[in-house]
Amino acid sequence: MVESVVIMDESGESNPYLLGVYAPVQDEITADELTVIGRIPTDLNGVYLRNGPNARFPMRGRYHWFDGDGMVHAVHFENGRARYRNRWVRTRAFDAESAAGRSLWTGVMENPKDNPFGNARGLPFKDTANTDVIFHRGKVLASWYLCGTPYSLDPLSLETLGIDTFLDTLGGDFMAHPKVDEHTGELFWFDYGPRPPYLRYGVVGPEGGVEHCVELDLPGARLPHDMAITRNHAILMDLPLYQDLDAARQGRYRLTFDRELPSRFGVIPRRGQAHEIRWFEAKPCYIYHVVNAWEEGEEIVLDVCRVSRPAPYGGGSPLARMISYLKLDARMYRYRFDLRTGRTSEEYVDADHNTEFPSIDARSTGHPTRYAYNVSVADAETNLFDGLVRYDNVTGAKETYYYGPGVYGSEAPFAPRDGSTGEDDGYLITFVTDEREGRSEVQILHASRISEGPVARVLLPQRVPLGFHATWVRAEQLR
Ligand SMILES: [Fe+2]
């Protein structure tokens, strides 16, 4: 397959996150007649959606992987058939640039002072809605990592339905990875920024409006990426990675990791007031993604992918720094917070394998889960996912599947099969891209035996650039 359009930034540098498996695509496609190798299980019914950066126009200034316009790729499975579709998220910024026919914003590697507008807190970067896709109340929300406006999409047509401010109750920004409790219909979120209040925590009720929101006190501006819920609590993070304020005063965006500060985990009742939060201290680290959390008696268990060295040493050009900061190096890790003693214990679940982008059976978010399905991060300069890893919390067993040389996957959510009775009674779904041929496909694996490889492969009409987060929406949720 020949790439007809190459999007570059204005730096003139060869940015690997704009090339090869990362290169943006320019076509929005709807495809019904897809070649299938193997057989799509007829008890796999629902839609796999994955978000990611896909720059429409060459960037003003340097391009950071997090800057690209959000594009959602989706495959709808129904009675053994598959349909593919991809669409950009029509954010306000995307529409403004489309009307202008060129890029109007700079990315996070440039001084943003001349950008047209930013998020609700006034952070002047482009809200690309490129980070996650979350299903709640019949719609998909596209979210942004620096905290922005949730955009709602139709889960099948991928049409952008508009800004979702939860019945005009949001009153601010919305982070990338809210948590949905399917049992209560609630959605838990936070909002953070460089100025006080540094952190707001809230709950969207089953009727669709924010029913609870509190401002939480932090020692300074932080960069929380994810959160957790349990049956009765929410868990928020204060990790010692933050924006360098001296650099910020000079209009530059630079991160600092303070190894002298602890990591802190705030446990608050789901509808608790600010003074009810209890902070648990642990060794310094950074955490992008939570696997899951739950309660065991008076203890809270929190499983994460933990980064022990979030700010790699070494200078080099801005591009070299961007590449080294972006490179994921995380380990499966478990915290226990004892609500009686206030003590934290922490240990590796897997000290050896660099795995990230975890997923679980979403029906059990906040409740005990036995299995986690992570991607294996390849030993490469850039972020490439070379396989899948399944962790068993009960036996400690680990099962892996590798795609093979030059073939890279996406986050692979668990898709329960029709009538599923357990958190591995179903499939894992992932986009897979072959860098040599520039082709992509969807692979379907049995969640209970991933090492056997895909039971079906659906060939796609275009390459799916490597991206960020994915979700699975069950057919019964679409009705
Ligand atoms: Fe993320």
Side-chain angles (χ1 to χ4, degrees):
M1 185 181 289
V2 177
E3 298 291 340
S4 56
V5 180
V6 177
I7 293 263
M8 298 299 290
D9 62 17
E10 290 178 344
S11 71
E13 296 171 305
S14 181
N15 185 328
Y17 283 104
L18 282 169
L19 301 169
V21 289
Y22 302 98
V25 294
Q26 293 301 304
D27 295 326
E28 297 184 312
I29 289 176
T30 305
D32 286 341
E33 301 295 328
L34 303 173
T35 303
V36 179
I37 299 168
R39 275 186 65 181
I40 299 170
T42 53
D43 59 2
L44 175 68
N45 289 292
V47 59
Y48 170 60
L49 302 113
R50 204 220 64 197
N51 204 346
N54 195 97
R56 180 165 193 194
F57 298 110
M59 278 297 291
R60 294 178 54 217
R62 293 186 193 89
Y63 177 80
H64 186 287
W65 193 31
F66 292 171
D67 288 335
D69 301 293
M71 178 181 272
V72 177
H73 299 257
V75 178
H76 180 204
F77 295 94
E78 194 173 32
N79 301 321
R81 292 178 58 83
R83 284 188 285 269
Y84 166 80
R85 191 179 285 250
N86 69 304
R87 295 290 184 274
W88 269 295
V89 184
R90 265 58 182 182
T91 64
R92 289 168 62 214
F94 180 91
D95 286 343
E97 292 191 338
S98 297
R102 65 188 172 86
S103 181
L104 301 174
W105 271 258
T106 56
V108 296
M109 293 176 73
E110 301 291 345
N111 190 326
K113 65 180 172 50
D114 295 328
N115 283 338
F117 55 84
N119 66 358
R121 281 174 176 263
L123 190 73
F125 295 111
K126 180 165 73 168
D127 177 352
T128 56
N130 69 8
T131 309
D132 201 356
V133 269
I134 304 107
F135 186 79
H136 185 235
R137 301 185 74 249
K139 288 179 292 191
V140 168
L141 298 173
S143 64
W144 185 50
Y145 76 111
L146 280 176
C147 250
T149 303
Y151 285 87
S152 66
L153 313 180
D154 181 280
L156 293 181
S157 73
L158 304 186
E159 180 191 350
T160 302
L161 302 173
I163 289 171
D164 193 336
T165 54
F166 306 110
L167 313 174
D168 292 327
T169 59
L170 182 58
D173 296 313
F174 186 77
M175 39 72 101
H177 300 310
K179 292 289 173 278
V180 174
D181 183 331
E182 290 196 15
H183 302 274
T184 65
E186 295 168 298
L187 176 145
F188 302 82
W189 56 277
F190 63 77
D191 163 17
Y192 71 98
R195 281 177 286 280
Y198 296 121
L199 189 63
R200 294 192 314 145
Y201 156 69
V203 184
V204 175
E207 307 304 320
V210 173
E211 294 181 353
H212 182 73
C213 184
V214 291
E215 294 181 2
L216 300 173
D217 205 20
L218 293 183
R222 295 292 183 265
L223 299 164
H225 189 70
D226 202 352
M227 63 176 291
I229 55 170
T230 68
R231 182 188 291 274
N232 296 297
H233 296 91
I235 305 168
L236 299 145
M237 301 188 224
D238 166 13
L239 305 174
L241 180 78
Y242 46 85
Q243 199 183 344
D244 184 321
L245 292 179
D246 289 335
R249 277 182 215 106
Q250 297 164 32
R252 291 180 297 125
Y253 188 78
R254 174 172 283 207
L255 302 181
T256 296
F257 180 54
D258 189 337
R259 286 159 209 281
E260 305 303 314
L261 286 180
S263 296
R264 298 198 312 147
F265 297 85
V267 177
I268 185 171
R270 281 184 168 194
R271 305 264 177 146
Q273 298 304 312
H275 70 269
E276 295 180 82
I277 196 165
R278 291 183 63 189
W279 291 100
F280 292 78
E281 294 197 353
K283 294 175 197 166
C285 71
Y286 189 69
I287 294 164
Y288 284 101
H289 299 123
V290 162
V291 181
N292 196 18
W294 61 86
E295 295 169 17
E296 288 184 1
E298 290 298 306
E299 274 193 328
I300 286 180
V301 178
L302 171 67
D303 285 355
V304 303
C305 297
R306 177 179 180 269
V307 179
S308 59
R309 287 186 57 201
Y313 294 109
S317 69
L319 177 66
R321 279 181 65 86
M322 183 268 279
I323 291 168
S324 68
Y325 265 83
L326 270 175
K327 176 63 187 181
L328 284 167
D329 188 7
R331 300 291 182 274
M332 272 284 273
Y333 203 78
R334 173 164 290 185
Y335 296 96
R336 287 179 175 274
F337 308 119
D338 190 320
L339 295 169
R340 288 159 307 190
T341 65
R343 259 192 231 120
T344 305
S345 61
E346 51 186 307
E347 63 178 350
Y348 284 98
V349 174
D350 179 357
D352 303 322
H353 202 151
N354 182 3
T355 70
E356 245 288 355
F357 282 70
S359 34
I360 56 162
D361 182 345
R363 299 170 298 182
S364 295
T365 302
H367 299 273
T369 40
R370 176 169 177 175
Y371 301 110
Y373 307 100
N374 295 15
V375 307
S376 169
V377 181
D379 184 13
E381 185 187 38
T382 58
N383 284 319
L384 297 165
F385 305 152
D386 60 2
L388 294 170
V389 181
R390 166 185 141 120
Y391 289 101
D392 183 333
N393 273 323
V394 172
T395 65
K398 184 169 97 172
E399 189 177 329
T400 55
Y401 173 68
Y402 292 98
Y403 304 118
V407 183
Y408 303 108
S410 291
E411 180 170 315
F414 171 70
R417 67 178 190 86
D418 295 348
S420 168
T421 57
E423 50 178 294
D424 69 344
D425 189 11
Y427 307 93
L428 301 188
I429 317 294
T430 180
F431 289 124
V432 162
T433 295
D434 185 323
E435 71 175 354
R436 294 156 303 188
E437 298 173 17
R439 280 195 315 104
S440 293
E441 61 190 46
V442 182
Q443 294 194 356
I444 303 164
L445 297 93
H446 277 297
S448 60
R449 27 185 216 283
I450 63 169
S451 59
E452 294 177 4
V455 294
R457 299 164 55 201
V458 183
L459 308 188
L460 299 177
Q462 72 177 346
R463 181 176 51 78
V464 176
L466 300 198
F468 301 141
H469 294 280
T471 196
W472 174 261
V473 182
R474 307 187 299 274
E476 83 223 28
Q477 294 174 296
L478 294 168
R479 283 182 208 119

